[in-house]
Amino acid sequence: MIHLIKQTAPIRPPDTVAPGRKRQANLQYVYTLTAFVSLGAFLFGWDQGVMAMIIADDRWLKLMQPANDWSVGFVISIYNIGCVVGAMTTGFFADSCGRERTISLASTVFIIGALLQAASYTIAQISVGRLVLGFGVGAYSAGVPLYISEISPAELRGRIVGIELMILCFGEMVVFWIVYAFYFLSSDDWWRIPLAIQVVPALVLAVGCWTWVPPSPRWLVAEERYECALEVLARLHGSEAAELEISEIRKTVSEEHVITQASWSDMFKGPVLRVTLLGIFIQMFQQTTGTNGIFYYAPSLFKKGGITDPTMANLATGGIGVVLFLSSWIPIFYFDRFGRKTWLQFGLVGMFSALIGICILQQHAVDYPNSPTNNAIVIFPYMFFTFFNMSWSSGSWTYAAEIFPISLRAKGSALCTASLWMSNFVVAQVSPPIESALGYGLYVVFAIICVIAFFFVRYVLVETRGRSLEEMTDLFGIDGNEKDPNLQGSVRQGLLQRNSGDEDATLLDDDSDDA
């Protein structure tokens, strides 16, 4: 079955390229592939924002009749459980079927979930639809950054991942205004339209990743399809860079084949455990510092801040989408100019300040419910997402996608993404009841977590800016060869045997050509 899914066709130079001709790096091709597979990020962003206004609408509430705040939270959070499962299965499918085919399969599952949501009439039905949709989005969230990190030049990796996050934020912005437009329809079923139309880009992505997007060169090397990997690298980075990269990738993959069979248990052994924990915690902090506690329930935040008109609260919520999109351009141009740790710490300072501002304004609305000053509440969510987007939004995804060795990168990406979605589930589920019980105390909790995250980044995180993916094993001391002479010898022997096999295969090919 796996053989029928993964790409097995030969990848050869185009007919327009003369044999032996040197090719230049084609960054336009890199950016085009990034933009296309980031349709998965667009759909991710769409579903992050599509429910915020829907669950606050009286017509939807009258139809679905949720029992309490926990029921509403469940409709939001069950999606995150699906995302956990989708992210965890990405490790298996990305290694077995290829990164791009995994994204195509995820799109098929996504379409089924979107249609189930749009056709639902009860809390149970829409929850099932969101669970299935989450399977697809979880696979997107792990598979898309994995793929684009493996086709990106090291010096541009932060920018490339930043483009994916910009497209994600574009999806969040677009869906806010589409939902806002359909909100004014007189039909009680207005909300079904924004849930259904996302099927169209998902279908485009499914077909494109199956027929046009090339496999990751690092996956091709792991499959021992070296000529195909060299061709993909040449198309992306040029002939000379491809020759250097292919030898480095082959060396790294060969070492890892000798040292480990890349099982899930290896994620929690020796120095890899440190990398695993760094990836898990950075993705966990990305969620628990408040982003989706604000994002999912923005209309409620504005209402409790004194903006009592539902239309104005929804309009202010739509402004969050605009802020997310505009601020997402910052890391595209500047993220790789400074270290990962610098950006993450800078972002936390701004996020902490914004959360304190939300607390102050919500208390002001309680004390002075009719004060015009209450409208200033809109400033602080906008400020929060500006700082979040220029730092953690792209920074945590970039870091988690780049720190693992090749043999564990798909599993590492899946595990780290699953930790993000589990954290997202907890935040989505507990935010409504905590806000009902404590009011602005919810944002005090998020502010405290920002302080903890700041110390984590400053004293625990390892800087990775400018490092190639193949250098990560040395940076984190994962190979450990210098500490174990016997292991070092076995690695050398394995490499010699592998290289000898390659040379024998080449000689056989030459002999067959002569014949």
Side-chain angles (χ1 to χ4, degrees), residues 238-461:
S239 302
E240 293 183 2
E243 293 287 351
L244 295 174
E245 289 182 67
I246 194 73
S247 60
E248 188 175 3
I249 296 170
R250 288 187 65 174
K251 177 178 179 294
T252 304
V253 171
S254 297
E255 290 175 352
E256 291 171 356
H257 274 310
V258 173
I259 295 170
T260 179
Q261 296 301 310
S263 66
W264 278 103
S265 62
D266 292 316
M267 302 295 299
F268 305 96
K269 294 179 181 177
V272 178
L273 174 61
R274 179 192 181 196
V275 176
T276 300
L277 292 177
L278 287 176
I280 287 174
F281 274 99
I282 196 170
Q283 291 287 55
M284 181 189 74
F285 280 127
Q286 199 237 46
Q287 289 298 305
T288 56
T289 46
T291 174
N292 282 318
I294 298 173
F295 192 75
Y296 288 150
Y297 307 108
S300 175
L301 183 155
F302 290 127
K303 181 178 179 180
K304 292 186 177 181
I307 303 177
T308 56
D309 182 358
T311 301
M312 292 303 297
N314 286 339
L315 187 62
T317 301
I320 290 179
V322 177
V323 170
L324 283 168
F325 176 67
L326 295 177
S327 60
S328 68
W329 288 87
I330 298 173
I332 293 176
F333 295 105
Y334 297 105
F335 191 78
D336 284 316
R337 296 191 183 186
F338 303 99
R340 312 308 195 217
K341 296 177 65 171
T342 300
W343 278 113
L344 294 174
Q345 291 174 89
F346 178 68
L348 285 166
V349 172
M351 291 155 61
F352 174 86
S353 302
L355 289 166
I356 298 302
I358 291 172
C359 295
I360 294 171
L361 265 294
Q362 285 201 346
Q363 182 60 48
H364 184 273
V366 172
D367 296 336
Y368 307 97
N370 298 316
S371 172
T373 307
N374 293 335
N375 292 322
I377 188 72
V378 300
I379 295 173
F380 293 103
Y382 294 178
M383 174 182 170
F384 178 93
F385 283 112
T386 298
F387 280 92
F388 174 81
N389 245 25
M390 70 171 64
S391 56
W392 283 80
S393 182
S394 57
S396 70
W397 288 104
T398 303
Y399 197 84
E402 69 187 1
I403 58 177
F404 288 94
I406 290 176
S407 63
L408 294 170
R409 189 165 297 135
K411 292 181 175 67
S413 178
L415 188 62
C416 294
T417 305
S419 75
L420 177 142
W421 286 115
M422 282 300 298
S423 302
N424 196 333
F425 168 78
V426 173
V427 170
Q429 184 65 58
V430 305
S431 289
I434 289 179
E435 190 177 31
S436 295
L438 301 179
Y440 69 79
L442 172 66
Y443 305 103
V444 174
V445 173
F446 289 144
I448 292 172
I449 296 173
C450 282
V451 174
I452 297 171
F454 183 90
F455 284 102
F456 170 79
V457 172
R458 188 169 187 84
Y459 297 109
V460 179
L461 221 60

Side-chain angles (χ1 to χ4, degrees), residues 250 496 498-510:
R250 288 187 65 174
L496 287 172
R498 188 174 292 269
N499 291 339
S500 176
D502 293 341
E503 292 171 1
D504 292 344
T506 302
L507 290 173
L508 287 173
D509 289 343
D510 292 344

